[in-house]
Amino acid sequence: MENKMLIFGHKNPDTDSICSSLVMEKFYKNLGFDVEAVRLGNVNKETEYVLNYLGILLPREIQKVEEGQKVVLVDHNEFNQSAEGIESATIEAVIDHHRIANFQTKDPLYYRAEPVGCTSTILYKKFKEENMAIEKREAILMLSAIVSDTLLFKSPTCTQEDKNACEELAKISGIDINSYGLEMLKAGTDLNDFTPEQLINLDAKSLSKGNTKYVIAQVNTVAIEDVLKREEEIKEAIKKEISENGLDLFVFVITDILNSNSEIIAIRK
Ligand code: MG
Ligand code: MG
Ligand code: MG
């Protein structure tokens, strides 16, 4: 087992999961902790754009954690979205902006949940509360996460706090939110290389309510009709996913990030 704390976001990591892990790594290092940001799976093209922009190497990938491993969860709390073995890890802290479910610990922990649009908005506040200077690298990481999770402030989950944090981070980093944000979002919408199976798993969340197991997956695009050209193949992939994983429902959301429209393909068992 590694002695240092491992920090990670959810499986199928999105930009918030990766960026918030890296920012928390910096936060803890500033306080003298031995920590490492890691990831639970491949990063998407949008996140790749951010890491390339900053010249940051990909965090190390892990699949599971050993019993007693000290971990910090960002951008998720539900065990089914976390690392294998999470039930017996020592969860030191959670910083998240999602509902709390399927979550339980043996020991006391630091838990910070706020109903804002992005984990990085909470991290921005943590830096402020600690009077910790925010450097350009972390400012760009947090700004990228906020732009990603709020789709440039257009998503219904976006709050005034997300906007305020992002504007402060833009000042610190000297970045134009709109032009950088649009390039970043567009980088993530290049879907041509993906098979239907990959498409429906790009940003897929496994959820359960009572005995119902379901998945909500989303892809962002600048042209919904391009994705719908592959509707039949996508439906086949969804049906396969449902039967292979014993799901009751699969909801696939295709979102036009420029016009904030979505088309939904939902299939029941
Ligand atoms: Mg996320
Ligand atoms: Mg998030
Ligand atoms: Mg998301």
Side-chain angles (χ1 to χ4, degrees), residues 10 12 14-16 75 97-98 117 148-151 203-205 218 220:
H10 51 80
N12 292 320
D14 56 10
T15 298
D16 188 23
D75 198 37
H97 67 124
H98 295 97
S148 169
D149 267 10
T150 67
L151 295 174
D203 177 8
K205 280 204 170 70
Q218 186 176 29
N220 294 328

Side-chain angles (χ1 to χ4, degrees), residues 83-100:
E84 211 180 294
I86 192 68
E87 299 80 3
S88 56
T90 302
I91 301 173
E92 297 277 345
V94 178
I95 300 130
D96 189 22
H97 67 124
H98 295 97
R99 71 168 192 178
I100 301 168

Side-chain angles (χ1 to χ4, degrees), residues 214-251:
Y214 60 106
V215 169
I216 297 181
Q218 186 176 29
V219 289
N220 294 328
T221 178
V222 287
I224 290 178
E225 62 280 8
D226 282 354
V227 181
L228 286 179
K229 276 183 198 148
R230 302 164 75 188
E231 186 172 348
E232 288 315 311
E233 288 175 275
I234 291 169
K235 282 181 176 165
E236 283 314 307
I238 291 174
K239 284 177 194 160
K240 198 163 154 241
E241 196 82 9
I242 288 173
S243 68
E244 280 176 4
N245 296 307
L247 301 172
D248 297 290
L249 175 69
F250 196 109
V251 180

Side-chain angles (χ1 to χ4, degrees), residues 99-247:
R99 71 168 192 178
I100 301 168
N102 307 308
F103 181 84
Q104 194 173 342
T105 61
K106 276 203 310 287
D107 299 305
L109 76 161
Y110 175 90
Y111 199 120
R112 174 103 171 233
E114 293 191 33
V116 291
C118 180
T119 307
S120 275
T121 300
I122 309 171
L123 301 190
Y124 169 78
K125 290 165 77 175
K126 283 183 66 65
F127 271 78
K128 290 277 153 192
E129 288 158 10
E130 293 286 336
N131 280 318
M132 210 181 263
I134 298 173
E135 286 168 28
K136 196 170 170 178
R137 175 185 182 269
E138 281 66 42
I140 295 173
L141 285 169
M142 288 189 268
L143 178 149
S144 302
I146 297 170
V147 165
S148 169
D149 267 10
T150 67
L151 295 174
L152 262 175
F153 314 131
K154 284 186 199 144
S155 81
T157 53
C158 183
T159 68
Q160 192 58 42
E161 287 204 76
D162 299 300
K163 288 182 194 160
N164 294 348
C166 203
E167 271 155 26
E168 287 305 312
L169 293 164
K171 278 184 208 155
I172 295 168
S173 58
I175 284 226
D176 182 272
I177 300 173
N178 274 306
S179 59
Y180 170 84
L182 217 50
E183 282 311 306
M184 188 199 92
L185 291 173
K186 275 188 187 160
T189 66
D190 176 10
L191 302 172
N192 295 325
D193 297 346
F194 297 109
T195 64
E197 289 75 22
Q198 288 169 326
L199 265 190
I200 61 168
N201 280 298
L202 279 179
D203 177 8
K205 280 204 170 70
S206 306
L207 301 155
S208 58
K209 193 168 189 182
N211 291 325
T212 308
K213 269 176 77 181
Y214 60 106
V215 169
I216 297 181
Q218 186 176 29
V219 289
N220 294 328
T221 178
V222 287
I224 290 178
E225 62 280 8
D226 282 354
V227 181
L228 286 179
K229 276 183 198 148
R230 302 164 75 188
E231 186 172 348
E232 288 315 311
E233 288 175 275
I234 291 169
K235 282 181 176 165
E236 283 314 307
I238 291 174
K239 284 177 194 160
K240 198 163 154 241
E241 196 82 9
I242 288 173
S243 68
E244 280 176 4
N245 296 307
L247 301 172

